[in-house]
Amino acid sequence: MSGSDPADAVAPAGIEVVGLDADDTLWHNESYFADAQALFAEILAPWTAEGRDPVAANDATERRNLELFGYGIKGFTLSMIETALEVSDRRVSGDAIAELLALGKRMLAEPVDLLPGVADAVEALAARHRLVVITKGDLIHQEQKVARSGLVEHFDRVEIVSEKDEATYRAIIERMEVAPERFCMVGNSVRSDVLPVLAVGAHAVHIPYAITWAHEHVDDHGAAFPVLGSLDELLRWLDGAPG
C-alpha cells in the first residue's frame, strides 16, 4: 500500500472544511468486532463442521450481505446467525443462536471510548475549521454514538451514509458549500476515507488504526497521501500549511 512520509508531505493551503471519519478515527470500534469474532468462534466450536473456519466464513457472509444489510452491528449479528447455520450444517442449537443475539446487543451497548487526545484535538480543529463527521453504519446506532461522544457541539454537520464513494463525497462537499480543494478528509481507511476523496479533487489524510477490517483492505494503488499517527499530528500538519 502506498502513502507518503508525513515529514515530506506539505499541507495544502486554505483548508476550510475538515471531514472526520468516526469509527476508529475518533473512537474505538474495530476492536469490539475483533473480540466478538473470537467469541463467535468459541460459541460455535461445538457446532462447527470439521475443516470449517467460522470467522472466515462470517467475513464472506458479511461481504455478501452488505448490499442488503449495510454496515454496522445489526447486519453483523444477522450475518453471524446465517454463518452459524451454514458452518453447522443447520445443527446449531437455539441456545447458541440466543448467545449470538445477546452478543450483538452487548456490542450495541458498548460505551463510546474516544481515542487518546481526540477530545482536545477536535476542539482545537473546530476553532480553525468547519468540521463534518462522515461515517458509515446503522443510522440509529451511529447517531447514538455521536451523541454520546461528547464531541457533537464541535461539528457543523454529521453525515451518516450507506457508502463512502465518490458520489457521496461530491454531495457532502456541495452541501458544505466548499470547493473540493479546500476540503480535507481524515480517516483510518484508505479504501473509504482516502481514495474516493482524492478522486473528486479534494485532500485526504490517513490515520491508521491498530486493526483494519478485511473489507477495508486495498491492494497497492499508487496514490500518494499523508499518513499521520494521530489527530494531534494532523493539527501540527495543518498548522504548517503556507498562507
Side-chain angles (χ1 to χ4, degrees):
M1 185 184 304
S2 299
S4 62
D5 187 334
D8 298 329
V10 177
I15 295 296
E16 295 177 12
V17 177
V18 175
L20 295 170
D21 173 51
D23 293 337
D24 300 320
T25 299
L26 299 179
W27 50 72
H28 294 282
N29 180 67
E30 191 58 31
S31 55
Y32 296 138
F33 282 88
D35 291 343
Q37 290 271 41
L39 185 54
F40 168 71
E42 182 180 322
I43 291 169
L44 283 191
W47 308 98
T48 302
E50 186 176 355
R52 301 300 303 273
D53 180 346
V55 172
N58 194 53
D59 285 340
T61 303
E62 277 193 279
R63 287 175 183 269
R64 291 197 308 269
N65 287 338
L66 277 176
E67 187 174 348
L68 289 174
F69 299 157
Y71 298 90
I73 291 170
K74 294 174 186 176
F76 174 74
T77 303
L78 288 170
S79 292
M80 285 196 297
I81 293 170
E82 181 179 341
T83 303
L85 292 167
E86 176 189 338
V87 300
S88 71
D89 295 327
R90 297 186 178 272
R91 295 180 298 106
V92 66
S93 70
D95 286 344
I97 296 296
E99 285 189 75
L100 297 179
L101 285 170
L103 173 58
K105 289 180 179 180
R106 288 198 301 275
M107 293 176 71
L108 287 168
E110 288 283 2
V112 176
D113 184 13
L114 297 181
L115 291 168
V118 159
D120 290 340
V122 167
E123 183 177 1
L125 280 168
R128 309 170 204 184
H129 307 275
R130 289 189 288 144
L131 303 184
V132 53
V133 171
I134 307 173
T135 180
K136 295 186 295 192
D138 176 78
L139 176 63
I140 294 174
H141 190 218
Q142 293 300 94
E143 285 180 337
Q144 290 172 340
K145 287 197 287 187
V146 171
R148 297 200 306 261
S149 71
L151 302 174
V152 68
E153 66 181 288
H154 301 302
F155 305 142
D156 286 66
R157 292 184 68 94
V158 175
E159 297 274 357
I160 300 169
V161 300
S162 57
E163 189 57 88
K164 289 181 174 178
D165 54 19
E166 293 177 32
T168 296
Y169 283 111
R170 285 195 189 96
I172 292 171
I173 289 169
E174 183 176 337
R175 285 194 289 273
M176 294 299 295
E177 298 182 333
V178 64
E181 61 268 21
R182 295 185 177 273
F183 176 85
C184 183
M185 182 65 189
V186 181
N188 69 292
S189 169
V190 173
R191 177 184 179 273
S192 294
D193 302 317
V194 174
L195 297 182
V197 180
L198 297 178
V200 302
H203 305 282
V205 172
H206 184 214
I207 300 181
Y209 186 69
I211 307 170
T212 301
W213 182 31
H215 182 72
E216 297 292 342
H217 283 290
V218 292
D219 294 328
D220 187 22
H221 44 74
F225 47 84
V227 180
L228 304 178
S230 67
L231 286 186
D232 284 334
E233 287 188 22
L234 175 72
L235 282 165
R236 294 193 290 273
W237 183 75
L238 288 170
D239 283 345

